Each structure stands twice: as structure tokens, then as C-alpha cells.
Amino acid sequence: MKIMAVCGSGLGSSFMLEMNVQQILAELGLGGIEVEHTDLSSATPADADVFIATKDIAEGMGHLGEVIVIDSIIDMDGIRVKLKDVLEQKGLL
């Protein structure tokens, strides 16, 4: 499985979100899930199984497929809850 963190420019915000997702996956004891980051204009549906982004850009991501919409890239609890929901739906937890 691959998760792609997305932001407007593909630099700081998406990289921070990528690191936070990796930390949560490690806390959950999940390996084998690839996490990367990119900017919205470069993202394609083939890039990942699941995309994660803040609600301010999520409206423009409908063409990508499954998107986890979060309120803040620094709200670890919020990211954890939404990420766990998707992982449970996919049978990974």
C-alpha cells in the first residue's frame, strides 16, 4: 500500500505530513506501507492507493480517488483517527 501526502507546493507541508504519517504507522506497528509527498498539480491517481491532505486543498483532489481529509498537519490525534479508520477498512489493522 502507498500513501501520498499532498499540499499546494509539495514542499514543507506535505513533507511534514509525510513524516507524521510515518510516525503514526510506526506507533501502530505497521510496516510495508510506503509514504511519500507531492504537490497537488503533480499528483495522479496512479501515484498512491490513498492520498492525505488538509481540507483547504482536498476539494481539488476528487480526481485522485480515496482522499483522507484532515484539519491540520500538526494535529497528530486527528491524523491518527482518520488514518486508522482507512487502515481498518482496508484490513490492515
Side-chain angles (χ1 to χ4, degrees), residues 1 3 19-33 35 52 68 76-89 91-93:
M1 180 171 156
I3 300 171
M19 291 188 305
N20 289 344
V21 169
Q22 289 173 335
Q23 180 180 334
I24 291 167
L25 293 173
E27 290 170 5
L28 296 172
L30 295 174
I33 298 176
V35 184
I52 185 167
I68 299 171
M76 293 295 281
D77 291 333
I79 297 169
R80 186 177 294 106
V81 166
K82 292 187 177 187
L83 187 59
K84 282 178 72 175
D85 284 346
V86 169
L87 295 171
E88 287 172 357
Q89 290 172 12
L92 298 170
L93 271 180

Side-chain angles (χ1 to χ4, degrees), residues 1-6 33-52 61 63-66:
M1 180 171 156
K2 185 173 182 180
I3 300 171
M4 183 72 69
V6 182
I33 298 176
E34 190 177 347
V35 184
E36 293 183 8
H37 69 281
T38 190
D39 64 285
L40 180 56
S41 63
S42 298
T44 68
D47 288 339
D49 302 296
V50 177
F51 296 84
I52 185 167
M61 296 178 64
H63 68 287
L64 295 175
E66 188 168 6

